[in-house]
Each structure stands twice: as structure tokens, then as C-alpha cells.
Amino acid sequence: MISARQLAFTVLRDIDKGAFADVALERNIGKFALMPADRRLATELIYGTVRRQRTLDALIDQLGKRRADQQPADLRRILHVGFYQLRYLDHVPNHAVVDTTVQLAKQQRLGKLSGVVNGMLRQYIRLQEAKGDPLQLPTDEIAALGVLHSYPDWIIQAWQQLVPAADVARLCEWFNQAPKIDLRVNRLRTTVDQVSTALTDHGLTVVPHGGIPDALRIVGPMGNVRQLPGYEAGWWMVQDSSAQLVSYLVDPQPGETVIDACGAPGGKTTHLAEMMEDRGRVLGCDRTSSRLNKIRQNAKRLQLNSIETVMGDSREHPEFKGIADRVLLDVPCSGLGTLHRHADARWRQTPNSIAGLTTLQRELLEAAVDWVKPDGVLVYSTCTLHPDENQNLIQAFLSDHPDWQIDPPEDDSPVAPFVTNQGWAMVWPHKQDMDGFFMVRMRRIV
């Protein structure tokens, strides 16, 4: 029978070949009959070792005779699995970590290299018992934070532009946690109290979250989402609380025409329709039919009829000129506000990819401006915490468009507590315990 560690190793090998972490796990986990506890351990090992890759490599550099990038690939993966357990899991005894990791090396036919695994893991344990944390950090402040918390230096540098040094460390720690699950209650089908009661009766721990009217947070494991009370009836949708804030900033009204320019998979599109009491038009746009189908599936389950899907590049919709009371432009972004949900994202994004994204974001913004009626509003949002995709882009846009200005939310809006002096809203995960988000509402100067 395959073990949790064997499954983790198999998935990590796929990730190293280019697969996305969640896709590789989903593809492999169903092939093996693991007990629930083993499934949870395998998932923790996979996502944990991917997140902590830089730290684990630093330990290999420090304790091995070769640097991590010079080690045989399978040996490096196995050492990651072993060091991760020793450093970050407290429910597996050290001797069990050593034994199972050495066994994993033997199962992969690494021969004498299993002795290397044994020696390096035991050396870590000896150092830990003798002087505490064995990890040696660089003297450079940015590199030290990057090694300790496992981020590339450029992300640390980007965050240092935005928050004090102490907050950078807290932000790094927050994104290394397992993601939390929030629900958005469909106000047209039920109430927050009814959903909370149904889920509690099902055995879950459920709490309201963040002063956001329709948000509930599930604390602890939740199992298969589709089997929870109210799912098939369209009572709720999984959506992080900070993402829910975006629709409150749009503040759509019944009977209006609202365009969600980058709508798939439909979380915000459906929220807008719910807030409009399913009266009016909500146009959910995307470039691909498969992603538009996700909008349609979600709208059908939530029993919403005001949503229309439109396929195409949102930089090229001349038919939208001047038709929208409100436009939501939730642009493709680097996702630096959701790094806990995408374990490998910190390694996939680069400064060059950010530059490409900002070009696309500005092009989308320039196109969406023309869709808005003279007295309408445009909301720009991202789930990233990079200034070039957020503050810098909006300031440049407003500089080039003096006929537009920031339109902060009303004082009683759920978004109001997150608004900065500049008028845009920022959600900081380490402060508000939600995904990181940037959002700003703008309208023409009359």
C-alpha cells in the first residue's frame, strides 16, 4: 500500500516537471486508497514543502556536501520531505521522520544515498537539540527574510515598499499558513443564520467574519464541499471575505446594467446579481468557453437569471461602449495576496511576469473606461499586493485621465474600514485575516 510520503514524493516530482501543485495533487490522490489522516498528511507535505522550498534548500546547502541545486533531483525531494517534517510538524516524532524518510529513499532505489538522508536528518536533530534552530541565515536583511520564510527576494522587496519591516515578517508568516475557507451566503435563497445553523448541525464550526454581511468562515476541516447542506440548493458559494468586499464597492442596484470584465469562474459575477436582487443585466466576460461555462454553472446552482455570458478579449468589446452603469475590472494579476492558496505561485511569478501583467492590466483599464455611462462607476481590483499592479497603475491612469477621480465608498459600506487616505481600499492579510486585495472605485468628474 502506498504511504502518504510516497504520494507526496510522486506529486512533488510532477510539480518539478511543471505541473501546478493543486492539479498534480488532484490527479494523483484519487489513485490510491489512503485513510483520511494519510490524505491530510500527504496534502500538508506537498503544499508545505513547495511553500518552504527556499528554507529547505538552505538546510541542504548548510548540512550537505553539495548544494541543493547540485543534488540528484529525487534525493533533493526526499530531503525536502524529511526536513519539512522535522522543522514544521510537531505531531510526528523525530525518529519516525528519519525512519520513514530513509525508507522512502530505499523505495525510490537511491541505494547508498539513503545513508546520506539518514546522516543529514540526524545532523539536523543533533544541532536542534544542542542549540535550537539549526538554520543559518544570511547577513543581508532581505535575503534573511527570504530564507527564513521561504520567498524570493523580489517579493520581500515589493512588500517593503508598502509596510514596515515588522509587518513584512508577519505577512510572510501569514501566507505560510493553510488557507481558510469562507462562504458567501446567497441572500436571495436563505439567510446567514439558516446556513450557519445547517452547517453547525452538520458538525462544522462556523463563525461570521470581518463585518462582511453575507460571509461565514468554516473553522477546521470541512470535507467535500458538494456534500455540505445547502450546496445543491444554491444557498451559498465558496468565496473569501475580501473578494466579497469588491462587489460591495461596486454597489450595484436593481435594474442596472453591470459588466464584470474578467468574470470567470463567477464568484463576483454571481454576487453582483444577488445584490441586484437578480433584476437587471450582469454581463460576465471571459476569453474561453470553458471558463464561461463555470460562470453559467454557478449561476444555475445559485438560481440566478440576470447573468449573461460574453466570450472574447475584454480589450476588444466595442459593443459595450457607453452601456454600463457599473463596470467591475477584477484583472488577471500576480496573486501575491493569495499565496497561501497557491503554494507554487511565489516561485512561478517573476519581476518580468509582473511587468507583462501590468501592461495587460492597463490595456484592460483603458478599454473598460469606454463602457461606462457618463454618470457610471468603474471598479478596479486585484488579489495582489504589488504596488506596480495596484497603487502605481491607478496613479498613472488618473494622471493620464484628468477627467476621472477616485470615488471612495460611503461611510456605512462594508468596504469603508479598509479605505486608505488615498481613497482606495487595501486588505492586509496579517491584519484582517483575509486574502490580500486592492480595490478602487472611480467615476468621471462632472
Side-chain angles (χ1 to χ4, degrees):
M1 175 181 284
I2 191 169
S3 70
R5 293 165 182 84
Q6 288 173 290
L7 173 59
F9 174 84
T10 300
V11 173
L12 291 171
R13 181 184 272 170
D14 286 353
I15 294 169
D16 285 343
K17 293 177 181 177
F20 287 97
D22 54 348
V23 174
L25 175 59
E26 185 68 23
R27 185 167 59 220
N28 284 281
I29 200 166
K31 297 178 182 178
F32 308 103
L34 292 179
M35 298 294 289
D38 286 331
R39 290 170 70 98
R40 288 193 294 271
L41 176 58
T43 302
E44 168 73 17
L45 291 176
I46 293 160
Y47 289 144
T49 56
V50 171
R51 283 194 196 101
R52 300 285 188 171
Q53 176 179 305
R54 186 175 183 184
T55 310
L56 301 173
D57 276 345
L59 289 172
I60 297 173
D61 292 347
Q62 180 184 326
L63 302 176
K65 293 182 179 180
R66 296 182 182 178
R67 290 180 51 83
D69 57 6
Q70 298 173 339
Q71 300 283 358
D74 283 352
L75 176 61
R76 182 184 182 186
R77 293 183 196 105
I78 289 169
L79 288 170
H80 280 180
V81 171
F83 280 133
Y84 181 82
Q85 293 173 88
L86 291 177
R87 187 169 181 83
Y88 300 110
L89 299 187
D90 54 13
H91 63 277
V92 183
N94 285 348
H95 68 85
V97 172
V98 175
D99 291 347
T100 54
T101 310
V102 169
Q103 185 62 32
L104 180 60
K106 292 178 178 178
Q107 289 166 344
Q108 300 307 317
R109 297 182 173 84
L110 293 189
K112 294 180 180 179
L113 291 179
S114 61
V116 174
V117 173
N118 182 69
M120 289 178 68
L121 296 184
R122 291 189 182 280
Q123 185 182 357
Y124 180 93
I125 294 168
R126 287 194 298 271
L127 289 170
Q128 190 177 49
E129 291 171 346
K131 60 178 186 179
D133 188 359
L135 180 65
Q136 297 173 1
L137 297 177
T139 55
D140 177 77
E141 177 189 3
I142 291 172
L145 281 170
V147 169
L148 179 62
H149 299 292
S150 194
Y151 293 84
D153 288 352
W154 69 268
I155 291 181
I156 303 293
Q157 290 169 324
W159 290 344
Q160 284 183 333
Q161 299 177 46
L162 302 173
V163 296
D167 279 12
V168 173
R170 290 175 58 203
L171 200 53
C172 289
E173 291 169 355
W174 195 91
F175 281 125
N176 281 331
Q177 301 178 93
K180 300 173 176 66
I181 302 297
D182 294 345
L183 307 182
R184 186 194 78 233
V185 175
N186 180 359
R187 63 173 69 180
L188 302 183
R189 298 284 164 255
T190 184
T191 65
V192 171
D193 287 344
Q194 185 176 358
V195 173
S196 182
T197 298
L199 294 175
T200 301
D201 291 346
H202 189 72
L204 300 179
T205 301
V206 184
V207 296
H209 184 62
I212 299 168
D214 301 322
L216 290 172
R217 171 159 290 179
I218 296 178
V219 180
M222 63 184 292
N224 188 333
V225 169
R226 297 173 183 272
Q227 295 177 357
L228 296 182
Y231 177 83
E232 292 295 342
W235 283 7
W236 49 264
M237 182 170 185
V238 175
Q239 186 182 40
D240 190 78
S241 293
S242 55
Q244 297 179 39
L245 284 172
V246 175
S247 298
Y248 288 106
L249 186 59
V250 177
D251 194 24
Q253 302 300 309
E256 292 184 333
T257 295
V258 180
I259 302 176
D260 186 356
C262 307
K268 299 178 186 69
T269 311
T270 54
H271 194 195
L272 294 168
E274 290 168 17
M275 293 180 69
M276 294 165 62
E277 300 173 5
D278 206 21
R279 294 189 285 128
R281 296 178 75 200
V282 181
L283 306 181
C285 309
D286 201 87
R287 295 177 62 175
T288 65
S289 59
S290 60
R291 286 176 58 80
L292 283 177
N293 195 43
K294 293 181 180 179
I295 299 179
R296 289 189 284 267
Q297 289 170 349
N298 282 315
K300 181 179 180 180
R301 183 175 64 82
L302 296 169
Q303 301 175 50
L304 299 169
N305 300 307
S306 60
I307 294 172
E308 305 169 29
T309 56
V310 182
M311 189 167 73
D313 188 325
S314 283
R315 292 170 291 185
E316 301 169 359
H317 279 301
E319 74 276 17
F320 288 170
K321 186 175 179 63
I323 72 168
D325 297 285
R326 301 170 197 266
V327 172
L328 169 58
L329 186 58
D330 185 56
V331 293
C333 70
S334 60
L336 300 189
T338 58
L339 292 176
H340 55 319
R341 300 191 186 281
H342 308 285
D344 45 358
R346 67 189 71 183
W347 313 121
R348 290 183 180 274
Q349 296 292 355
T350 66
N352 285 339
S353 68
I354 298 289
L357 284 165
T358 57
T359 299
L360 172 62
Q361 291 156 358
R362 182 62 188 263
E363 290 172 352
L364 287 165
L365 186 52
E366 294 290 350
V369 162
D370 290 337
W371 305 348
V372 184
K373 292 179 180 178
D375 58 345
V377 299
L378 170 63
V379 170
Y380 174 93
S381 66
T382 75
C383 61
T384 193
L385 299 174
H386 196 289
D388 287 352
E389 300 177 82
N390 296 336
Q391 300 94 321
N392 297 350
L393 186 144
I394 293 301
Q395 287 173 330
F397 169 79
L398 293 173
S399 177
D400 293 339
H401 294 268
D403 55 330
W404 282 79
Q405 65 183 3
I406 293 176
D407 179 35
E410 297 72 19
D411 290 343
D412 61 351
S413 167
V415 188
F418 305 91
V419 175
T420 66
N421 292 334
Q422 296 87 351
W424 50 62
M426 292 285 296
V427 180
W428 289 104
H430 64 293
K431 295 180 180 179
Q432 282 101 23
D433 200 27
M434 297 185 281
D435 290 0
F437 254 83
F438 173 91
M439 59 196 82
V440 59
R441 187 169 68 191
M442 297 175 287
R443 67 170 71 236
R444 286 188 181 90
I445 299 172
V446 179

